[in-house]
Each structure stands twice: as structure tokens, then as C-alpha cells.
Amino acid sequence: MPPETPPDFLELSAEITNFFKHLEKRYSQNLLNLTYGERVDFRAPMLLNTLKNVGGKALELKALREWLMRGIQCFEEYPPGPESVVQLCALIRQYPITEYTNQLVDAWRSLDAEFGQCYGRQWKSDARIDSLTKERVWLHKFAEHKVSAAEILEAMARLNNCGYFRTFMPKFDEFLDAVYAVRFPDAPLVEEAWGLATCQSPEVAHAAVRRARGHVGGHELRIRGSDRDIEQRFKSYYRQLLLHPELVKEYEPDVEKPVAQYLSSEEILASLINRSD
């Protein structure tokens, strides 16, 4: 009696059939022949063995098919070959496509286009897999920090208006700093806060900047403002304040202002008469 075929093998085989149906609908037969060879009956077994050898799963291939259906720019004209399929399935395995990350796709495309235009090769890579890896990594990290699409777009706008980032492309952690600044009402970006704190005559309006400046010490900032260690101490503490707004509130508690009380004309007159007595 022949051994039973493992269920995961059957699932992967079925998903490969669906995958090639999608490719056949989307791309011309000539392109498929160039990519997978002219023998149609050989394509599915070849891809099945390739994926099986690297531990590929049906769910990964299904996610890749759905990703292609939503649109992957570098595969708009040409289908992904076997090597690309293996790389992308491994990428999806490490950084899964979820309902949450799908909600961020439009915001990501705006961010990708904007940063590509602003930073050129600092942001864009000629290698397809590098660009797609960046997409999966950033979306995965956004999901980890519960970043919304609106926050991505607002943080992007804030960074575009920050002079520091006109030259230097923000890394992910710096982009995340901008997200937390968006979440904290009217808070400057970390780089903007540092600039305010080190002004010759600082007019620090935001409470978080005042708190961070007080933590480091105004005197230290005046005499050692160019010291890298002082800068890192300030920025590190300011980031903590963006994450924990309650620390700022504790530093500057709401104080009930005295209410001005005004005497009536009769009371003023009576007061003057009493004085004359």
C-alpha cells in the first residue's frame, strides 16, 4: 500500500494550481514561456519541488498571489520567476501579510512615492527584493506599534517640513518618533525639540520640551550644547516623554488660577467712608 501524501503537500500543490491560473490570466503566454518554460505540464511540478525543498507553505503562496492581485509595481509587466517566488514566500513567512498591514498599503504607497522622490537612491533600490523587503519590514513594524494609516501620512508630512530631514532620510526609528510626536498634541519632532532647547534665547512653548530641557539642565545646554552626549541624553528623555505624556503632566500639574474679584460701586463707596471714619 503506497504511503499517504502529507496534507501540507496537497495544500501546496492545490495553491500552485491557483497561482498559475492567476499568472495565466494576468500575463501573456509568451512571458510565461520565457519565465517558466514552454512545457505547461512541467511548470507546476517544477515549482512544487522548488518550494518543497525550501519549506514553502501553501499559506505563503496564497498570500503572495493576493499580494500580486493588489499590485506589486515591479511585477506589473513581468511575472515573478521561481527564484522570486521562493524569495517572496520566505519574506512573507518572516513578515506576514495580515488584515492590519493590508489597511496600511495605500498609506505605504504614498510614503514610498514621496520618499523615493525626495531621497532618490537613499530610499530606492535597483534590486526588486530589496524594495519589497523594505515594504514588508516597515509595514510589519507599523503593525507592531499599532500605527494607523492617518498617522503614517501625518508623520510623513511633518518630516517633509523638518529642515533636518531635507538632507538626511529618516530611518524607521526616526519615522516612529514622528508618529509619537503626532500622537502627542502639538509636540515638536525630536530634532525640532533639540533645536528649540539649544537656542541662545530659547522660547520653549511645549511642555515636553521644557521638561526635557529641565532634565538635562539649561546651564549644561548653554555651555555644552554641541556635546554629543548631552544631545543624546536630551533626545532619549524627550522620546520617553512622547511615549509617556503623563510624565509631562506630573511635571507641570494643572494649577487653579485665582479668579479676580471686583467690588461693586456701593462696596467701594462704603470702603472709602469707613476709611474716612
Side-chain angles (χ1 to χ4, degrees), residues 169-214:
M169 183 190 77
K171 300 174 183 177
F172 179 81
D173 288 343
E174 291 171 322
F175 194 97
L176 191 61
D177 286 342
V179 170
Y180 283 110
V182 167
R183 291 177 177 178
F184 197 127
D186 303 320
L189 301 180
V190 173
E191 296 299 333
E192 293 171 333
W194 172 244
L196 289 170
T198 54
C199 286
Q200 290 295 326
S201 301
E203 296 180 1
V204 181
H206 197 278
V209 182
R210 289 198 301 271
R211 174 72 192 265
R213 194 171 189 276

Side-chain angles (χ1 to χ4, degrees), residues 144-160:
E144 283 185 334
H145 294 276
K146 303 300 181 186
V147 180
S148 70
E151 288 172 338
I152 293 173
L153 297 177
E154 179 62 24
M156 179 181 72
R158 293 283 303 276
L159 290 165
N160 283 343

Side-chain angles (χ1 to χ4, degrees), residues 4-59:
E4 292 186 6
T5 305
D8 56 346
F9 185 88
L10 294 174
E11 291 173 1
L12 181 58
S13 179
E15 188 50 51
I16 285 175
T17 300
N18 293 333
F19 181 74
F20 276 109
K21 285 180 180 178
H22 169 73
L23 296 187
E24 289 165 3
K25 289 180 181 178
R26 178 161 185 171
Y27 303 100
S28 70
Q29 194 60 237
N30 287 337
L31 286 176
L32 289 177
N33 290 344
L34 288 172
T35 307
Y36 290 95
E38 295 185 3
R39 287 190 56 185
V40 177
D41 60 333
F42 179 72
R43 294 172 185 171
M46 180 269 295
L47 187 57
L48 178 62
N49 287 329
T50 301
L51 287 173
K52 188 180 77 168
N53 289 337
V54 295
K57 304 295 183 184
L59 285 176

Side-chain angles (χ1 to χ4, degrees), residues 92-155:
I92 290 169
R93 185 183 313 147
Q94 188 171 4
Y95 303 103
I97 296 174
T98 65
E99 184 177 348
Y100 194 100
T101 60
N102 283 340
Q103 294 172 1
L104 306 179
V105 167
D106 289 340
W108 166 259
R109 288 175 177 166
S110 297
L111 172 63
D112 187 42
E114 182 70 21
F115 277 15
Q117 183 176 0
C118 290
Y119 302 109
R121 289 190 175 275
Q122 289 186 55
W123 176 259
K124 287 288 186 182
S125 171
D126 291 334
R128 294 176 177 179
I129 193 65
D130 289 345
S131 295
L132 295 173
T133 298
K134 180 178 289 182
E135 175 179 342
R136 293 306 328 146
V137 169
W138 278 54
L139 287 176
H140 180 75
K141 289 183 177 180
F142 282 145
E144 283 185 334
H145 294 276
K146 303 300 181 186
V147 180
S148 70
E151 288 172 338
I152 293 173
L153 297 177
E154 179 62 24

